[in-house]
Amino acid sequence: MVISFLSALLILAGLVFFLGAGVGILRFPDFFSRMHAAGKGDTLSTLLIIAGFALYQMRDLGDSEASVSAVLVALKMLVIIAFLYIASATSTSALAEAGWEDGNDPVIAPKHENRLAGPPESRTAAADLNRNSTHDSQP
Amino acid sequence: MTFEHFSIGVGVALLLLMIPAMCRIVMGPTTMDRIVGANMVGTKTTVLLVIIGVIFGKVDMFIDFALTYALLNFTGAIAAARYLRHKGRRGIVLASTSEESVCERA
């Protein structure tokens, strides 16, 4: 009973994190911050929800008959968790790099300058480019 | 309330919380935004397959589907990233300080 309560708590925590990821992917202004929200919130919520179900599979471990199958299923869920823990971060990194090379620019406040764009003597041209290319993503 | 009813509620909540990602797929200004939204929906489909297994009482079958779907989702995201990375600023690395990078961006 307490294991069911703990797994329900894990699953609800995962839903809260997924709500945060959904709000972030809908409301953030540019591609990289949306990538940030999607990568972190999506990964953590998936890990928490699957860990909750894996904990629920282990609830009647004392019984000798069904325990082997339950442990095998929980182990496969842990394999999914370990795979997603690596693969989601990898795909987030690859998609962010591809988004940069595809021509996405971060939205930068006017008092700051785009330090990724080039050397200091050419930052004004880079700032012009930045302002011209991100006008569609600003409200 | 049994755990199966709770699982059905969690599945419906996941489906409702997928709606922002689907909105980002529909109205995302660039292609990469759509790919990020599709990746998020695919990751949550993995969780939904596990939930379907719990509801039907066949977790040992549906967990293999979930694992396969996670692998396919990761492969699709990497393939899309590799396909789209050479379309725009060709040959410009991140945080480049060379002079010709700015000229090439223009």
Side-chain angles (χ1 to χ4, degrees), chain B residues 15-77:
Chain B
L15 200 62
L16 290 181
L17 286 174
M18 269 187 204
I19 289 177
M22 293 183 184
C23 287
R24 183 50 69 191
I25 294 175
V26 170
M27 71 185 191
T30 65
T31 315
M32 301 308 294
D33 285 310
R34 298 174 210 272
I35 292 173
V36 170
N39 197 10
M40 197 165 165
V41 171
T43 312
K44 286 307 160 198
T45 310
T46 307
V47 183
L48 271 182
L49 280 171
V50 174
I51 292 176
I52 287 170
V54 169
I55 290 170
F56 287 158
K58 291 182 178 177
V59 200
D60 48 353
M61 186 175 77
F62 276 91
I63 199 74
D64 294 332
F65 297 165
L67 192 52
T68 312
Y69 200 87
L71 284 163
L72 278 178
N73 189 28
F74 173 63
T75 312

Side-chain angles (χ1 to χ4, degrees), chain A residues 52-77:
Chain A
F53 280 108
L55 193 60
Y56 180 71
Q57 288 304 117
M58 310 274 281
R59 68 194 181 281
D60 43 12
L61 207 57
D63 303 339
S64 59
E65 288 87 11
S67 64
V68 175
S69 166
V71 165
L72 203 60
V73 167
L75 214 61
K76 278 183 184 174
M77 285 186 186

Side-chain angles (χ1 to χ4, degrees), chain A residues 11 21 35 46-47 52 54 64 73 79 104 109 119-120 124 126 132:
Chain A
I11 291 167
M35 195 81 235
T46 308
L47 296 196
S64 59
V73 167
V79 166
N104 287 290
T124 55
N132 287 334

Side-chain angles (χ1 to χ4, degrees), chain A residues 8-25:
Chain A
L9 204 64
L10 277 176
I11 291 167
L12 289 180
L15 283 183
V16 168
F17 276 105
F18 188 40
L19 175 66
V23 170
I25 203 174

